[in-house]
Amino acid sequence: MKANFGEKTRKNITAFSFIMCLVVVGAMGIYYQYMKRQQLQTEVHTPTTEVEKLIAKDLEVGYPETPTEVMKLWGRINQCIYNTALDDEEFDALLGQLRAMYSKELLEQNPENAHKNRLQEEVKEFQADKNKIVSYSAETGNGVKYKTINNQECADIRISYFINNGSGYVKNFQDFILVKEDGKWKIQGFKDVQTEKSTEKEATSQ
Protein backbone atom coordinates (compact mmCIF):
# COMPACT_ATOMS: atom_id res chain seq x y z
CA MET A 1 0.00 0.00 0.00
CA LYS A 2 2.82 2.41 0.87
CA ALA A 3 4.56 1.66 -2.41
CA ASN A 4 1.37 2.25 -4.39
CA PHE A 5 0.75 5.48 -2.51
CA GLY A 6 4.26 6.69 -3.24
CA GLU A 7 3.93 5.77 -6.92
CA LYS A 8 0.63 7.66 -7.19
CA THR A 9 2.18 10.67 -5.49
CA ARG A 10 5.08 10.71 -7.93
CA LYS A 11 2.67 10.43 -10.87
CA ASN A 12 0.56 13.28 -9.52
CA ILE A 13 3.63 15.47 -9.05
CA THR A 14 4.84 14.64 -12.56
CA ALA A 15 1.45 15.44 -14.06
CA PHE A 16 1.23 18.68 -12.08
CA SER A 17 4.74 19.71 -13.18
CA PHE A 18 3.87 18.98 -16.83
CA ILE A 19 0.71 21.06 -16.60
CA MET A 20 2.60 23.93 -14.95
CA CYS A 21 5.19 23.80 -17.74
CA LEU A 22 2.40 24.11 -20.32
CA VAL A 23 0.92 27.04 -18.42
CA VAL A 24 4.30 28.79 -18.23
CA VAL A 25 5.02 28.19 -21.93
CA GLY A 26 1.55 29.45 -22.85
CA ALA A 27 1.95 32.56 -20.68
CA MET A 28 5.34 33.29 -22.23
CA GLY A 29 3.84 32.95 -25.70
CA ILE A 30 1.02 35.35 -24.88
CA TYR A 31 3.48 37.82 -23.33
CA TYR A 32 5.74 37.64 -26.40
CA GLN A 33 2.83 38.34 -28.75
CA TYR A 34 1.70 41.24 -26.56
CA MET A 35 5.17 42.81 -26.50
CA LYS A 36 5.49 42.35 -30.26
CA ARG A 37 2.18 44.19 -30.84
CA GLN A 38 3.26 46.98 -28.48
CA GLN A 39 6.55 47.32 -30.32
CA LEU A 40 4.78 47.56 -33.67
CA GLN A 41 2.38 50.18 -32.33
CA THR A 42 5.14 52.34 -30.88
CA GLU A 43 7.58 51.89 -33.74
CA VAL A 44 8.39 55.26 -35.32
CA HIS A 45 7.37 55.43 -38.97
CA THR A 46 9.92 57.24 -41.10
CA PRO A 47 8.17 59.48 -43.65
CA THR A 48 9.13 58.56 -47.20
CA THR A 49 6.72 60.37 -49.53
CA GLU A 50 6.53 64.13 -49.97
CA VAL A 51 3.06 64.13 -48.42
CA GLU A 52 4.30 62.26 -45.33
CA LYS A 53 7.33 64.53 -44.96
CA LEU A 54 5.23 67.69 -45.11
CA ILE A 55 2.64 66.34 -42.66
CA ALA A 56 5.35 65.22 -40.25
CA LYS A 57 7.06 68.63 -40.27
CA ASP A 58 6.73 70.16 -36.80
CA LEU A 59 6.23 73.89 -37.37
CA GLU A 60 6.19 74.55 -33.65
CA VAL A 61 9.88 73.76 -33.36
CA GLY A 62 11.06 74.02 -36.96
CA TYR A 63 9.32 77.10 -38.33
CA PRO A 64 11.02 78.80 -41.33
CA GLU A 65 13.20 81.68 -40.18
CA THR A 66 12.90 84.13 -43.09
CA PRO A 67 10.10 85.35 -45.39
CA THR A 68 11.79 83.55 -48.29
CA GLU A 69 11.89 80.26 -46.38
CA VAL A 70 8.23 80.68 -45.41
CA MET A 71 7.33 81.15 -49.08
CA LYS A 72 9.40 78.16 -50.15
CA LEU A 73 7.51 75.95 -47.71
CA TRP A 74 4.23 77.54 -48.83
CA GLY A 75 5.05 76.70 -52.44
CA ARG A 76 6.14 73.18 -51.56
CA ILE A 77 2.91 72.42 -49.70
CA ASN A 78 0.73 73.93 -52.42
CA GLN A 79 2.55 71.99 -55.11
CA CYS A 80 1.79 68.81 -53.17
CA ILE A 81 -1.87 69.74 -52.60
CA TYR A 82 -2.59 70.74 -56.20
CA ASN A 83 -0.64 67.94 -57.89
CA THR A 84 -1.44 64.95 -55.69
CA ALA A 85 -4.51 62.77 -55.21
CA LEU A 86 -4.92 63.12 -51.45
CA ASP A 87 -7.29 61.34 -49.11
CA ASP A 88 -9.35 63.38 -46.66
CA GLU A 89 -6.92 62.90 -43.77
CA GLU A 90 -3.91 63.98 -45.83
CA PHE A 91 -5.75 67.00 -47.23
CA ASP A 92 -6.79 68.14 -43.75
CA ALA A 93 -3.26 67.70 -42.43
CA LEU A 94 -1.69 69.73 -45.23
CA LEU A 95 -4.35 72.42 -44.86
CA GLY A 96 -3.39 72.59 -41.20
CA GLN A 97 0.23 73.17 -42.19
CA LEU A 98 -0.80 76.03 -44.46
CA ARG A 99 -2.91 77.61 -41.73
CA ALA A 100 0.03 77.35 -39.33
CA MET A 101 1.68 79.99 -41.52
CA TYR A 102 -1.31 82.37 -41.34
CA SER A 103 -1.28 85.40 -39.08
CA LYS A 104 -3.87 85.60 -36.32
CA GLU A 105 -5.82 88.19 -38.30
CA LEU A 106 -5.84 86.08 -41.48
CA LEU A 107 -6.99 83.03 -39.51
CA GLU A 108 -9.92 85.02 -38.13
CA GLN A 109 -10.85 86.16 -41.63
CA ASN A 110 -10.70 82.59 -42.97
CA PRO A 111 -12.59 80.06 -40.79
CA GLU A 112 -11.18 76.58 -41.28
CA ASN A 113 -14.29 74.99 -42.84
CA ALA A 114 -14.74 77.82 -45.33
CA HIS A 115 -11.03 77.72 -46.14
CA LYS A 116 -11.19 73.96 -46.69
CA ASN A 117 -14.23 74.12 -48.98
CA ARG A 118 -12.73 76.91 -51.05
CA LEU A 119 -9.39 75.15 -51.43
CA GLN A 120 -11.03 71.84 -52.35
CA GLU A 121 -12.97 73.55 -55.13
CA GLU A 122 -9.84 75.28 -56.43
CA VAL A 123 -7.89 72.01 -56.43
CA LYS A 124 -10.74 70.14 -58.12
CA GLU A 125 -10.92 72.72 -60.91
CA PHE A 126 -7.13 72.87 -61.24
CA GLN A 127 -6.83 69.10 -61.64
CA ALA A 128 -9.88 68.84 -63.91
CA ASP A 129 -8.13 71.22 -66.31
CA LYS A 130 -5.10 68.88 -66.21
CA ASN A 131 -2.85 71.56 -64.78
CA LYS A 132 0.29 70.71 -62.87
CA ILE A 133 2.67 72.85 -60.84
CA VAL A 134 6.08 72.06 -62.30
CA SER A 135 8.11 74.30 -59.98
CA TYR A 136 7.96 77.41 -57.83
CA SER A 137 10.35 80.09 -56.62
CA ALA A 138 10.32 82.85 -54.02
CA GLU A 139 12.14 86.16 -54.09
CA THR A 140 15.36 86.40 -52.14
CA GLY A 141 17.73 89.11 -50.97
CA ASN A 142 16.84 92.60 -52.18
CA GLY A 143 13.68 91.23 -53.76
CA VAL A 144 12.14 91.06 -50.30
CA LYS A 145 10.95 94.50 -49.17
CA TYR A 146 10.91 95.10 -45.42
CA LYS A 147 8.95 97.86 -43.71
CA THR A 148 7.30 98.75 -40.42
CA ILE A 149 3.54 99.37 -40.19
CA ASN A 150 1.94 100.32 -36.88
CA ASN A 151 5.11 99.27 -35.05
CA GLN A 152 4.93 95.81 -36.61
CA GLU A 153 7.64 94.36 -38.85
CA CYS A 154 6.34 93.47 -42.32
CA ALA A 155 7.79 92.03 -45.51
CA ASP A 156 6.56 92.12 -49.12
CA ILE A 157 7.58 89.13 -51.22
CA ARG A 158 6.56 87.56 -54.51
CA ILE A 159 6.29 83.87 -55.33
CA SER A 160 6.00 82.46 -58.83
CA TYR A 161 4.68 79.14 -60.09
CA PHE A 162 5.49 77.44 -63.38
CA ILE A 163 2.41 75.52 -64.46
CA ASN A 164 1.95 73.00 -67.23
CA ASN A 165 -1.61 73.46 -68.49
CA GLY A 166 -1.53 70.62 -71.01
CA SER A 167 -0.89 72.81 -74.03
CA GLY A 168 2.12 74.70 -72.73
CA TYR A 169 3.57 76.47 -69.75
CA VAL A 170 2.41 79.56 -67.91
CA LYS A 171 3.98 81.50 -65.07
CA ASN A 172 1.70 82.69 -62.29
CA PHE A 173 2.70 85.32 -59.73
CA GLN A 174 1.37 86.03 -56.25
CA ASP A 175 2.34 88.93 -53.99
CA PHE A 176 2.41 88.30 -50.24
CA ILE A 177 2.69 90.48 -47.20
CA LEU A 178 4.07 88.85 -44.08
CA VAL A 179 4.05 90.16 -40.52
CA LYS A 180 6.20 89.13 -37.61
CA GLU A 181 4.20 87.56 -34.78
CA ASP A 182 5.95 86.16 -31.72
CA GLY A 183 9.21 86.10 -33.63
CA LYS A 184 7.79 84.20 -36.63
CA TRP A 185 6.99 85.49 -40.11
CA LYS A 186 3.30 84.88 -40.74
CA ILE A 187 1.23 85.45 -43.89
CA GLN A 188 -1.05 88.47 -43.53
CA GLY A 189 -2.43 88.58 -47.06
CA PHE A 190 -1.77 87.73 -50.69
CA LYS A 191 -3.14 88.29 -54.17
CA ASP A 192 -2.65 87.09 -57.75
CA VAL A 193 -0.93 89.76 -59.79
CA GLN A 194 -0.34 88.42 -63.30
CA THR A 195 0.10 85.39 -65.53
CA GLU A 196 2.44 85.08 -68.47
CA LYS A 197 3.46 82.42 -70.95
CA SER A 198 6.64 80.56 -70.26
CA THR A 199 8.89 78.00 -71.92
CA GLU A 200 9.57 74.42 -70.92
CA LYS A 201 13.25 75.24 -70.44
CA GLU A 202 12.43 78.12 -68.10
CA ALA A 203 9.92 76.03 -66.14
CA THR A 204 12.23 73.09 -65.54
CA SER A 205 15.23 75.24 -64.63
CA GLN A 206 13.70 76.43 -61.37
Side-chain angles (χ1 to χ4, degrees), residues 32-56:
Y32 173 79
Q33 292 297 326
Y34 171 78
M35 293 303 296
K36 188 175 181 180
R37 286 196 299 269
Q38 290 294 107
Q39 182 179 2
L40 290 174
Q41 290 175 0
T42 57
E43 186 177 30
V44 177
H45 173 67
T46 302
T48 55
T49 67
E50 178 71 349
V51 173
E52 290 176 337
K53 290 176 182 177
L54 288 170
I55 291 174

Side-chain angles (χ1 to χ4, degrees), residues 34-186:
Y34 171 78
M35 293 303 296
K36 188 175 181 180
R37 286 196 299 269
Q38 290 294 107
Q39 182 179 2
L40 290 174
Q41 290 175 0
T42 57
E43 186 177 30
V44 177
H45 173 67
T46 302
T48 55
T49 67
E50 178 71 349
V51 173
E52 290 176 337
K53 290 176 182 177
L54 288 170
I55 291 174
K57 190 172 183 62
D58 188 349
L59 295 184
E60 286 295 321
V61 297
Y63 195 83
E65 295 183 357
T66 67
T68 296
E69 292 303 314
V70 171
M71 288 294 94
K72 285 181 178 179
L73 181 58
W74 175 269
R76 183 181 169 192
I77 294 174
N78 274 283
Q79 184 179 41
C80 194
I81 289 175
Y82 280 86
N83 287 359
T84 312
L86 303 170
D87 61 33
D88 290 340
E89 185 176 346
E90 291 169 337
F91 187 92
D92 289 345
L94 290 178
L95 175 62
Q97 296 291 63
L98 288 182
R99 291 180 63 83
M101 291 186 282
Y102 273 22
S103 69
K104 295 174 183 176
E105 182 178 336
L106 192 58
L107 285 173
E108 290 176 358
Q109 295 172 357
N110 292 271
E112 187 169 358
N113 286 339
H115 186 181
K116 177 179 178 179
N117 292 335
R118 184 173 65 253
L119 183 59
Q120 283 179 324
E121 287 300 315
E122 290 176 1
V123 171
K124 183 179 179 180
E125 182 178 346
F126 184 87
Q127 294 179 350
D129 291 338
K130 298 182 179 179
N131 291 317
K132 185 174 183 180
I133 298 175
V134 178
S135 62
Y136 56 88
S137 61
E139 287 182 318
T140 61
N142 293 333
V144 184
K145 307 300 181 184
Y146 294 92
K147 54 190 176 182
T148 301
I149 301 176
N150 297 327
N151 296 320
Q152 188 171 35
E153 293 181 70
C154 303
D156 291 332
I157 184 171
R158 175 171 291 186
I159 185 171
S160 60
Y161 295 94
F162 286 99
I163 299 173
N164 184 336
N165 60 11
S167 59
Y169 291 86
V170 295
K171 189 175 183 180
N172 287 355
F173 298 89
Q174 286 183 314
D175 282 347
F176 285 74
I177 181 168
L178 280 67
V179 295
K180 209 163 193 180
E181 289 184 350
D182 302 322
K184 297 178 180 179
W185 286 104
K186 299 282 187 168

